Amino acid sequence: MNVTEVSFVAAAAAVANGKALPAIGQTPARYAGHTFETGADAPDRPGVFVLTTELSGRAHPIYVGESESVIVAVSAVLAANPILKRLTAGVFWQACPFALDRRHLVEELIEEYQPHFNAAAEAEKSDRSSERDDWVRDPIELIARF
């Protein structure tokens, strides 16, 4: 399945589960019960951002992130991934000064919407961690080594 097919499947699943997605450009927009803004420029403040693609006029999340500067992070993510840049139709953000709150919100949004590009990043991280033979995931295993 390519990125577009994955996004269409995810959008259909969101509608089936009663998760209404906001329209492209709608402000304020709601994702997982949280209010997000949109506009020409994201702020140079700490916050959470949602990159979306347009599917049937709705803003479907394809990447969720957080940073000390939303505009810097959005620019860096789009510059690093040309496919993501091409698919992005809208950027939604929420100012959030506290790192822990941002991390929890990102985790909640990823769990709720399962954005394609976040799933790819998680798969890459797990592939890297599995290459480390000395890494112990289970405390019982660690105790057994000694």
Side-chain angles (χ1 to χ4, degrees), residues 7-8 11 13 18 43 53 78 84 125 131:
S7 296
F8 278 113
T53 191
L78 293 177
L84 180 61
K125 283 181 189 175
E131 294 171 1

Side-chain angles (χ1 to χ4, degrees), residues 123-134:
E124 187 177 302
K125 283 181 189 175
S126 67
D127 286 346
R128 275 193 236 135
S129 67
S130 66
E131 294 171 1
R132 295 174 22 189
D133 293 332
D134 62 335

Side-chain angles (χ1 to χ4, degrees), residues 96-113:
C96 184
F98 305 109
L100 186 58
D101 290 342
R102 291 194 306 264
R103 199 169 314 122
H104 287 301
L105 180 54
V106 167
E107 289 171 0
E108 181 181 346
L109 292 170
I110 289 172
E111 183 178 325
E112 180 94 10
Y113 296 101

Side-chain angles (χ1 to χ4, degrees), residues 129 132-146:
S129 67
R132 295 174 22 189
D133 293 332
D134 62 335
W135 181 252
V136 178
R137 294 174 194 241
D138 184 8
I140 305 287
E141 183 182 341
L142 178 64
I143 293 168
R145 285 188 179 189
F146 295 101

